[in-house]
Amino acid sequence: MNKVVIFGNSGSGKSTLAKELTLKNQLAHLDLDTIAWKASTPPERQSISESKKLIEGFLTAHDNWVIEGCYSDLLELVTPKADEVIFLNLPISACVENARKRPWEPHKYESKEAQDANLDMLIDWISQYSTRSDTFSKLAHEKLFNEHQGKKIMYVSNVNRK
């Protein structure tokens, strides 16, 4: 396992799994959250072309990697290069529970308090996973998974995932 793409709903365990694989297999790690957004308030998506340049720079710099996120429009740029794709297709209730337990993510929020202030909005967004039709939706992730021609695995639970 040298090039892995992980995707799923927010709170599905993408970052946790990516960190485990990074440590176990000495892989470089790219969280698409870090390149998908402009540094602005309110948050605004980076253009696909700008995110693509950043992804290409990461791929050029690293032979072995794990890339994770919920952005099917960015994931489709890297799934053809992956040795394996992993779809964390957990129930929405499990994703909400994970979001409530999420440790502080300093690369996304200036403080745990700022992160927690965003929790209600995040839970609402997680809850819409099955009904949305955007790049972050279950529909988009299922399409990405179903169209991938290489090795792929879908998990519906984080229990006994290894």
Side-chain angles (χ1 to χ4, degrees):
M1 182 178 326
N2 297 322
K3 297 175 179 142
V4 183
V5 173
I6 304 169
F7 55 93
N9 196 2
S10 183
S12 62
K14 300 179 299 294
S15 295
T16 300
L17 179 57
K19 288 173 188 166
E20 290 171 10
L21 294 175
T22 297
L23 291 172
K24 181 180 177 186
N25 300 297
Q26 292 80 49
L27 304 175
H29 175 207
L30 177 60
D31 177 346
L32 292 177
D33 283 340
T34 63
I35 64 159
W37 299 94
K38 293 180 181 179
S40 64
T41 303
E44 183 183 343
R45 273 292 299 268
Q46 190 93 260
S47 70
I48 298 295
S49 61
E50 188 59 34
S51 293
K52 183 178 180 178
K53 287 179 198 171
L54 296 168
I55 290 170
E56 288 171 350
F58 176 83
L59 295 175
T60 299
H62 304 285
D63 292 329
N64 302 305
W65 44 259
V66 59
I67 297 175
E68 49 107 349
C70 58
Y71 311 85
S72 60
D73 53 3
L74 299 179
L75 292 161
E76 66 189 15
L77 301 173
V78 294
T79 52
K81 300 171 183 350
D83 297 324
E84 180 176 6
V85 301
I86 302 172
F87 179 15
L88 298 180
N89 191 12
L90 276 65
I92 288 172
S93 58
C95 295
V96 168
E97 182 181 335
N98 289 341
R100 290 187 191 283
K101 295 178 186 173
R102 180 175 284 174
W104 175 39
E105 298 175 299
H107 64 290
K108 296 180 189 177
Y109 297 95
E110 66 271 8
S111 68
K112 177 73 166 116
E113 293 74 25
Q115 179 174 306
D116 290 346
N118 197 41
L119 186 58
D120 288 341
M121 185 280 303
L122 178 61
I123 289 172
D124 184 53
W125 192 75
I126 289 169
S127 299
Q128 297 170 27
Y129 183 60
S130 297
T131 58
R132 288 193 317 264
S133 59
D134 58 17
T135 189
F136 313 104
S137 68
K138 182 175 184 174
L139 183 68
H141 292 160
E142 287 173 334
K143 182 178 186 291
L144 190 67
F145 184 80
N146 291 335
E147 290 179 355
H148 184 68
Q149 297 299 306
K151 183 178 178 185
K152 56 187 173 182
I153 187 163
M154 180 189 301
Y155 292 108
V156 296
S157 168
N158 282 330
V159 178
N160 298 323
R161 186 180 63 209
K162 297 174 171 75

